Amino acid sequence: MAGTIYGYIRVSSKDQNEDRQLIALREVDVPEKNIYMDKQSGKDFNRPQYKKLVRKLKKDDLLYIKSIDRLGRNYEEIQNQWRILTKGKGVDIVVLDMPLLDTRRGKDLMGTFLSDIVLQVLSFVAENERTNIKQRQAEGIAAAKARGVKFGRPLRPRPENFYKVHKAWREKKIPLKQAAALCGLPEGTFYSMARKFEKGG
């Protein structure tokens, strides 16, 4: 007996567009109500919609995903989830960008063997790309710092009355709370500014 057809979409952030994945799932007639989508990183499987989908899936259901990295980016975890879904739950998976990853085909030993090899290679490629992205980001930040690009919040300029108020505070004529209020700053900010000023910053 044929099971239910589902689709899963993952985009890495709220800004990313899911249209390409959505169109691909519609083209294979996945019902709109059976499409689950997460907008978060693929570093692990702790995703609300994915968890909800897995709870729904049962034997002979069919799950479509656009590409293997939409499932995840961690080599071991992709393989683990694949085993849970196909062997544990008896679900068929189709990766649209990779026709070899279609568990409905080749149910014999050779078909399973080929599918497992392709999955291992693609899982490795997905994780390797994630590592490369992190490395490129780190190199980019290091290069930008070397060029003098500043990261983090811009420094708050000292208020015009800072020096006068700072002197009064250091001479114990006014308390910290009053000094900060006179400069229109939170106490912590005034104190940090004062310490930096005293160190010659």
Side-chain angles (χ1 to χ4, degrees):
M1 195 178 100
T4 309
I5 297 173
Y6 292 95
Y8 179 67
I9 291 172
R10 182 186 66 77
V11 287
S12 298
S13 68
K14 291 190 167 73
D15 306 331
Q16 281 193 336
N17 197 306
E18 67 277 4
D19 289 354
R20 204 168 56 89
Q21 294 176 69
L22 204 50
I23 290 163
L25 295 181
R26 282 174 183 155
E27 280 174 358
V28 289
D29 299 322
V30 179
E32 208 80 22
K33 63 181 173 63
N34 291 349
I35 295 175
Y36 290 76
M37 180 171 65
D38 282 304
K39 291 198 173 192
Q40 67 185 87
S41 159
K43 71 179 189 294
D44 59 44
F45 285 85
N46 190 21
R47 306 176 220 139
Q49 289 302 306
Y50 180 78
K51 284 179 164 179
K52 198 173 172 184
L53 168 64
V54 172
R55 284 197 297 270
K56 277 256 187 189
L57 288 167
K58 56 192 184 302
K59 193 174 175 356
D60 297 324
D61 283 347
L62 175 60
L63 173 64
Y64 283 101
I65 54 171
K66 178 86 170 77
S67 57
I68 196 71
D69 65 345
R70 296 306 90 199
L71 194 59
R73 286 190 178 276
N74 180 299
Y75 179 55
E76 282 180 32
E77 286 201 20
I78 292 172
Q79 289 187 301
N80 189 36
Q81 288 299 313
W82 190 274
R83 275 192 292 272
I84 289 167
L85 297 175
T86 57
K87 294 181 173 66
K89 282 186 162 273
V91 172
D92 274 315
I93 305 176
V94 176
V95 179
L96 295 168
D97 282 356
M98 181 56 63
L100 272 172
L101 283 177
D102 181 345
T103 60
R104 297 169 303 178
R105 295 184 189 145
K107 293 278 187 183
D108 59 358
L109 191 62
M110 182 54 79
T112 305
F113 175 68
L114 281 172
S115 179
D116 282 352
I117 287 176
V118 174
L119 173 66
Q120 283 188 41
V121 170
L122 289 176
S123 301
F124 174 76
V125 167
E127 185 173 12
N128 202 41
E129 178 57 18
R130 182 167 161 255
T131 306
N132 288 342
I133 287 168
K134 278 187 171 178
Q135 191 178 332
R136 285 197 295 271
Q137 283 173 339
E139 286 168 359
I141 289 167
K145 280 182 176 174
R147 290 195 312 270
V149 175
K150 296 272 191 277
F151 290 88
R153 282 188 193 167
L155 289 173
R156 201 167 186 165
R158 288 178 190 143
E160 282 181 28
N161 64 344
F162 174 78
Y163 305 100
K164 191 175 160 186
V165 172
H166 172 266
K167 188 171 184 288
W169 170 62
R170 273 301 178 210
E171 288 172 357
K172 297 195 170 21
K173 289 176 183 172
I174 54 170
L176 175 65
K177 191 173 182 178
Q178 190 183 342
L182 285 167
C183 287
L185 298 169
E187 285 178 50
T189 307
F190 176 84
Y191 186 77
S192 299
M193 207 174 267
R195 295 286 294 158
K196 194 166 184 186
F197 169 62
E198 286 157 17
K199 285 179 182 172

